[in-house]
Amino acid sequence: MSKDSKYVIGIDMGGTKVLAGIVDKDHAVLSRAKVATDTSSLEQITNCLVGAVKEALETASVELSEVSAIGIGCPGPLDVERGEIVGSPNLGLDVIPVRKMLKEAFDKPVAVGNDVNTGTYGEVVMGAGQGYRNVVGLFPGTGLGGGIVIDGQLVQGSHGNAGEIGHMIIQPGGPMCGCGQRGCAEALVSRSAIAKELAGLAAAGKAPVILKLAGTDLKKIKSGVILKAIRQGDENAERVVRRAAKKMGRTMANCVNMLNPDLVILGGGLVEKLGSWYVDIAEASMRKYAMSVLVKDVKVVEAQLGDDAVLQGAAALAAKLA
Amino acid sequence: MSKDSKYVIGIDMGGTKVLAGIVDKDHAVLSRAKVATDTSSLEQITNCLVGAVKEALETASVELSEVSAIGIGCPGPLDVERGEIVGSPNLGLDVIPVRKMLKEAFDKPVAVGNDVNTGTYGEVVMGAGQGYRNVVGLFPGTGLGGGIVIDGQLVQGSHGNAGEIGHMIIQPGGPMCGCGQRGCAEALVSRSAIAKELAGLAAAGKAPVILKLAGTDLKKIKSGVILKAIRQGDENAERVVRRAAKKMGRTMANCVNMLNPDLVILGGGLVEKLGSWYVDIAEASMRKYAMSVLVKDVKVVEAQLGDDAVLQGAAALAAKLA
């Protein structure tokens, strides 16, 4: 960064909210501003992004002139070279030129990254991955997001769409995935995949706690409900989650064999709720399925930054432009 | 490189032969020297390495003083930081300190890499991958070797053992792999895996051409025999190879989803013999199983460098030290 630009802006652009933050050279977040995402038009999206950034600047009492660059983590698929979101199902628009939008509003260089990639990078810069050079991040929730850092650098791939570890096919002919394939890791280990099985069990009267807490509605079987069912002794529920955690371990093993990382970070809603119980099962399974010479020095930890991960990663990508 | 060191040395250290070459700044190989590998002791290994290097220097009429660094590609598992091969089953010795051996003999910096990784890097520097930044290399033969290049840099991982794509488990409960797991890609797509199935078919009288050419001995069912069996209309043999090629495509798809590469390079004995027939089947399967947004710009090509790939990659790693 040049002498008079002491800050960068990090933005986490999600389907429901935009979170913007002002971040200093030491990765400290000076302010945060949250705005509900309105994807009804490109203009509305611009308004959300610009509104969140302006509010974050104001809250931190930072002038735009003190900012060297902006980073944004957003849902893929991306064309990072053009700085565009291309055909994201969650945002409902064909092309969203986020770099152009931000550049026109603030006239700063703009770094663009996929949200999960950016979040993984955030964890490496300021969270659970500090001090590690080769890191795989896996975030089971509605889907299964992934991110990869090699030699300290975020792996974006040729268009910014690397890290789709959730769509690694680990069980040919397995359950249908949202992407159209069968047997993707996401279709086996995500919270949605678990909820689908649990709803079936609840409907069959074989998961009484799930039935009591959430009925048979997939969408109501959130991570918190799953935790309660396990705690309250719903044996079939526990079995389903344990099996999913083992398959997560197999997914982690495949990543370990491919990339020889030092660290695997697990995060996302399911991990936040189930904590070390889940992580330990996944880790044991990883150690069983990975090559011993590759897995022996790998650590497995929980993500630390929660809602700040993408913002931090986006800011760190911005700092590299400055 | 410094002004007076115009060359680097690249070494391909295999279980049966050591190939050393003198390489100039433009990656041109000025000389090659081949020595049979004698792994009876560390001293003998040193003699092989030193002998091959000295012969290559002599043939090229290059003085050691004109050499800036040495690179060596060798069978893993490695500890790249220490520059050692650790417990390689093919070489029969516990620890082989290749960097120390070469440094003591020639007093030059030594870059060490796994052979397949180094070969993939060689293809990117001077072969089929020239001009590509994000590349996955897959080499089906006795095993299934893999290599990864991201942003133009070889991915070695934390200990130099990245790229074990052959041990990605793609079919849980599938056939036993040499590594002890079941359903690794290697156990499904390698020439050895194909030979196992073909020997079974031959024994059952269902692969007449294989039976005629190689009997039922796995080791005699080489890539050339497989090619002949397909050419001479051995339908079951063709079916087996086609199925293996499709599984190779699924393996490639998993790599594409993880890494968003521009290019996949296929090489090794099986690909050299079966050529575009094999590559086309694998590529079609990759396109079927990978996410469309990730696979649409990926090219698939055959490796070009053959026996020079590791030597070239090792020399290129050495050039980065200089």
Side-chain angles (χ1 to χ4, degrees), chain A residues 158 163 181 258 260 262 288, chain B residues 158 163 181 258 260 262 288:
Chain A
S158 61
Q181 302 290 347
M258 271 187 77
N260 191 17
D262 322 293
K288 180 176 165 193
Chain B
S158 60
Q181 302 291 347
M258 271 187 76
N260 191 191
D262 320 294
K288 180 177 166 191

Side-chain angles (χ1 to χ4, degrees), chain B residues 235-302:
Chain B
E235 281 181 24
N236 284 322
E238 177 174 333
R239 199 165 300 144
V240 165
V241 180
R242 194 178 282 275
R243 207 161 51 209
K246 285 183 184 172
K247 287 178 182 170
M248 171 62 93
R250 193 142 50 73
T251 308
M252 291 154 68
N254 282 350
C255 295
V256 166
N257 287 351
M258 271 187 76
L259 299 170
N260 191 191
D262 320 294
L263 186 74
V264 175
I265 300 175
L266 296 179
L270 202 61
V271 177
E272 280 167 25
K273 286 290 178 195
L274 301 178
S276 63
W277 179 83
Y278 177 92
V279 171
D280 289 350
I281 297 168
E283 179 174 348
S285 168
M286 173 192 84
R287 295 199 187 282
K288 180 177 166 191
Y289 289 114
M291 298 181 83
S292 57
V293 67
L294 282 143
V295 84
K296 68 182 166 57
D297 297 321
V298 177
K299 283 192 180 169
V300 179
V301 295
E302 288 176 50

Side-chain angles (χ1 to χ4, degrees), chain A residues 77 157-164 167-170 172 181 250 254 257-260 262 288-289 293-294 297, chain B residues 77 148 157-164 167-170 172 181 250 254 257-260 262 288-289 293-294 297:
Chain A
S158 61
H159 298 288
N161 298 310
E164 289 291 0
H167 298 286
M168 181 191 284
I169 298 175
I170 62 165
Q181 302 290 347
R250 193 143 51 72
N254 283 351
N257 287 351
M258 271 187 77
L259 300 170
N260 191 17
D262 322 293
K288 180 176 165 193
Y289 289 113
V293 67
L294 282 144
D297 297 320
Chain B
I148 299 166
S158 60
H159 298 287
N161 297 310
E164 289 290 0
H167 297 286
M168 181 191 285
I169 299 175
I170 62 165
Q181 302 291 347
R250 193 142 50 73
N254 282 350
N257 287 351
M258 271 187 76
L259 299 170
N260 191 191
D262 320 294
K288 180 177 166 191
Y289 289 114
V293 67
L294 282 143
D297 297 321

Side-chain angles (χ1 to χ4, degrees), chain A:
Chain A
M1 299 191 205
S2 69
K3 254 186 298 178
D4 55 343
S5 50
K6 292 176 279 194
Y7 307 106
V8 287
I9 294 170
I11 305 175
D12 175 359
M13 178 186 182
T16 57
K17 57 137 186 69
V18 170
L19 174 68
I22 309 302
V23 179
D24 73 12
K25 286 181 179 174
D26 301 319
H27 307 290
V29 181
L30 306 187
S31 69
R32 290 170 189 82
K34 207 183 274 191
V35 169
T37 310
D38 177 349
T39 58
S40 55
S41 70
L42 290 180
E43 208 182 344
Q44 281 308 322
I45 295 176
T46 305
N47 289 343
C48 295
L49 296 174
V50 171
V53 168
K54 285 194 171 160
E55 193 189 320
L57 283 168
E58 214 162 283
T59 307
S61 300
V62 164
E63 297 292 323
L64 188 59
S65 60
E66 297 174 286
V67 169
S68 61
I70 302 174
I72 180 167
C74 37
L78 302 180
D79 180 332
V80 255
E81 220 165 281
R82 301 171 64 98
E84 295 177 346
I85 306 174
V86 287
S88 169
N90 296 326
L91 296 174
L93 286 162
D94 254 6
V95 172
I96 305 174
V98 286
R99 177 179 291 137
K100 188 164 157 252
M101 289 167 162
L102 289 165
K103 217 165 158 36
E104 281 178 0
F106 301 109
D107 196 24
K108 303 284 176 186
V110 179
V112 178
N114 157 299
D115 46 10
V116 190
N117 288 344
T118 307
T120 302
Y121 190 54
E123 288 286 347
V124 172
V125 170
M126 270 305 274
Q130 279 181 81
Y132 290 87
R133 303 281 300 162
N134 297 290
V135 178
V136 173
L138 281 160
F139 301 83
T142 312
L144 171 60
I148 300 166
V149 171
I150 296 286
D151 280 335
Q153 304 300 315
L154 177 62
V155 174
Q156 296 227 59
S158 61
H159 298 288
N161 298 310
E164 289 291 0
I165 303 171
H167 298 286
M168 181 191 284
I169 298 175
I170 62 165
Q171 192 176 303
M176 201 77 193
C177 182
C179 75
Q181 302 290 347
R182 287 185 172 279
C184 294
E186 176 164 306
L188 292 155
V189 316
S190 65
R191 198 243 307 137
S192 314
I194 291 171
K196 225 191 307 189
E197 283 208 64
L198 293 180
L201 285 171
K206 289 179 178 166
V209 184
I210 295 285
L211 190 63
K212 196 179 69 190
L213 295 173
T216 55
D217 183 350
L218 291 186
K219 291 205 169 166
K220 291 191 178 150
I221 306 179
K222 306 242 182 223
S223 301
V225 169
I226 294 170
L227 173 65
K228 277 187 193 159
I230 294 172
R231 283 217 175 129
Q232 293 177 29
D234 215 327
E235 282 181 23
N236 284 323
E238 177 173 333
R239 201 166 297 145
V240 165
V241 180
R242 194 179 282 276
R243 208 161 52 209
K246 286 182 182 172
K247 287 178 182 169
M248 172 62 92
R250 193 143 51 72
T251 308
M252 291 154 67
N254 283 351
C255 295
V256 165
N257 287 351
M258 271 187 77
L259 300 170
N260 191 17
D262 322 293
L263 186 74
V264 176
I265 300 175
L266 297 179
L270 203 60
V271 177
E272 280 167 24
K273 287 289 178 195
L274 300 178
S276 63
W277 178 84
Y278 177 93
V279 171
D280 289 352
I281 297 168
E283 179 174 350
S285 168
M286 173 192 85
R287 295 200 187 281
K288 180 176 165 193
Y289 289 113
M291 299 182 83
S292 57
V293 67
L294 282 144
V295 83
K296 66 182 168 54
D297 297 320
V298 178
K299 283 192 181 169
V300 179
V301 295
E302 288 175 49
Q304 288 175 357
L305 297 182
D307 285 347
D308 266 358
V310 177
L311 189 163
Q312 286 274 14
L317 288 178
K320 291 178 63 180
L321 293 181

